[in-house]
Amino acid sequence: DPARGGTRAVSQWWCWLFATCAVVPPAAAPPVPVPPTTAPVPVLASPPPPARQGQPPAWRRFAVPAPPSDGRPTLSLVIDDMGVNTGQSARAVALPGPLTLSWLPYAPHLAEQIAAGTARGHETMLHMPMEALGRADPGPGALRTWLPPATNLASLRAALDLVPNAVALNQHEASVASLSVPLMDLVMDELHARGLAFLDSLTIPHSVGFARAEARGVPAIARDVFIDNDPAPAAILARLAEAEALARRGGHAVAIGHARPATMDVLEQYLPTLAARGFVQWPLSAAIAARLQAPAADGGQGTIAPLRASGAE
């Protein structure tokens, strides 16, 4: 029927028009995240437990007994960068002691390596990574001047917890960090709370580390000589001779070397001759104790040799 077919065509046309012109509601917009009302609080490592009444501070409790000097000059030799190069670190552990071995907190198998050093009669120290100039990378967990204090404190506490029998802390790299009074004060507050001492490595002239330690009442001393800024054996021996001269003049000297092949080569030959040369080998804690008992005229820092290389750490 033509009429019925026309009606059907009109109906289809209206259905098509309705479907084409129908308004489809827009999709719902995603919810806008609401910022928290308070900033997240960083998780800090636990503070140290308070010392028991009458208990000596940790730097004395874990100190290695020092042989009597009997009036002879003393030399305290610190080996930095311990633990990362396990082969050279094992050579340092095998050296005649007592040495003070300063361990990097991110070294592998740290507890086992430290235990080996302790079994050999060496003293333990934390070599704390800190911010350096330029592109030098002090390693993971380094203290940095631009980080929030809570972040630095958490890193410091975590590192100290990894070296529970340490007597002291010294800086790794730290040519920027050592000039920051707020950062050094944060370090000294924690060392004071734990009863630890401080060795200012003086990786940069005008470091405020020693002064901030004294201001906080932290037992402290500064290094006198870096022995291996120049890795040539003759240069290392010359720096050891400089340390000997300082010790003869002032009674003691603190020298820092590193767990490196050339340094180990020299020390394996040199240290067995130290007594015959008229010196007594002391752990760092003994030098700090002697300084506290008889402060030097220069404020106890000793004679500080000028840095000869920018790569000192």
Side-chain angles (χ1 to χ4, degrees):
D1 185 343
R4 198 173 285 174
T7 303
R8 215 171 20 246
V10 170
S11 298
Q12 291 172 350
W13 182 83
W14 276 106
C15 289
W16 172 83
L17 183 62
F18 179 81
T20 304
C21 299
V23 178
V24 179
V32 178
V34 178
T37 54
T38 57
V41 178
V43 178
L44 294 182
S46 300
R52 292 194 295 271
Q53 184 98 15
Q55 187 181 47
W59 78 273
R60 289 188 180 275
R61 195 162 67 250
F62 298 119
V64 169
S69 66
D70 296 326
R72 290 171 292 172
T74 63
L75 186 63
S76 296
L77 184 59
V78 176
I79 306 297
D80 278 355
D81 293 355
M82 287 292 295
V84 173
N85 186 325
T86 55
Q88 300 307 316
S89 297
R91 291 180 70 185
V93 165
L95 289 171
L99 300 169
T100 299
L101 306 179
S102 196
W103 299 87
L104 288 164
Y106 49 80
H109 312 295
L110 184 60
E112 293 87 345
Q113 292 195 79
I114 292 175
T118 302
R120 287 281 299 183
H122 301 309
E123 204 163 65
T124 299
M125 187 161 65
L126 171 64
H127 199 32
M128 187 67 207
M130 301 186 192
E131 183 181 357
L133 288 167
R135 297 183 178 181
D137 181 10
L143 308 184
R144 300 182 186 276
T145 55
W146 47 266
L147 286 173
T151 301
N152 281 325
L153 183 58
S155 296
L156 176 62
R157 286 177 173 173
L160 286 165
D161 288 347
L162 290 170
V163 191
N165 61 333
V167 299
L169 172 152
N170 73 324
Q171 312 102 304
H172 173 57
E173 298 287 356
S175 48
V176 170
S178 295
L179 300 178
S180 169
V181 169
L183 185 53
M184 287 295 101
D185 282 349
L186 179 146
V187 172
M188 299 314 157
D189 284 346
E190 189 68 14
L191 295 184
H192 184 270
R194 292 176 183 251
L196 295 173
F198 176 68
L199 167 64
D200 194 340
S201 296
L202 288 172
T203 57
I204 191 167
H206 313 301
S207 165
V208 300
F210 182 87
R212 300 320 299 163
E214 290 232 302
R216 189 62 182 91
V218 172
I221 200 165
R223 66 96 187 152
D224 294 295
V225 177
F226 272 123
I227 67 170
D228 54 2
N229 284 347
D230 182 341
I236 295 173
L237 286 170
R239 297 296 273 166
L240 287 167
E242 184 177 343
E244 289 182 2
L246 291 171
R248 286 194 186 96
R249 187 161 67 241
H252 71 272
V254 176
I256 295 179
H258 299 82
R260 300 170 183 164
T263 308
M264 295 301 103
D265 289 345
V266 171
L267 292 180
E268 285 168 353
Q269 301 299 315
Y270 170 81
L271 286 177
T273 72
L274 199 58
R277 302 167 79 89
F279 295 89
V280 177
Q281 195 171 335
W282 265 9
L284 184 73
S285 61
I288 294 174
R291 182 195 161 269
L292 293 178
Q293 292 166 7
D298 63 356
Q301 291 198 55
T303 304
I304 306 303
L307 296 177
R308 293 190 180 179
S310 60
E313 51 178 324

